[in-house]
Amino acid sequence: EVPGARVADFVTALVEFAGRLYAGFGSPNNGAGDVMVFDGLSWTSSYDGAFDAVNAFAVYGGRLHVGTWPTGTVHRREVDGAWRELPRPGYEREVMAMAVYNQKLYVGALPMAHVYRWDEGGAGGDFTFVGNLDATPAVPLRRVWSMAVYAGQLFAGTLPSGRVWSLRAGAVAAGDEVLSPAWHHLA
């Protein structure tokens, strides 16, 4: 067990960013969601937002992004270390999944299992609705629970239907192997 890791009711997501380990924490009993950073010895708070849990991480544009519950918002850590809330994707209550695909940030949400794409623009950017992935009838909550990029496609898993969907956008070159730390000729 990592020293000091028990700081909230549950750990929702982990990601490596800029040489450090980040963890999303949640505590639905007291609204104490947080992003914690592990320095190799102990955990310290990186952000204490107005949400109960951090569900997902993505590194996009060289910056760390988090998806939250119950506000359904995405927050980005700026270069100076400050956190900025991005415009809310639709009327979502929970951003559960995030992935970077074809140089765009995609998020999956609850309650209707919608997917959104972050589009940067002149005024800063906004989320564009991409589609609904679970239309299970008579179910109050539908989720895009997970996302991954594989073989040049974006994949998303849903609940309650238990299906996996894929999206191909544009021409994509993908490699699933890690390159050694040196210059490589790719094309």
Side-chain angles (χ1 to χ4, degrees), residues 31-45:
D34 201 350
V35 177
M36 304 290 286
V37 183
F38 185 61
D39 64 6
L41 298 173
S42 63
W43 293 95
T44 56
S45 177

Side-chain angles (χ1 to χ4, degrees), residues 57-97:
F57 287 111
V59 177
Y60 172 69
R63 292 177 280 185
L64 186 62
H65 293 70
V66 299
T68 68
W69 174 79
T71 59
T73 53
V74 175
H75 300 250
R76 175 174 67 201
R77 186 164 188 186
E78 302 294 352
V79 176
D80 65 2
W83 287 90
R84 175 180 169 231
E85 183 177 321
L86 301 181
R88 187 173 175 193
Y91 298 101
E92 304 305 329
R93 300 297 301 154
E94 188 165 8
V95 173
M96 300 195 71

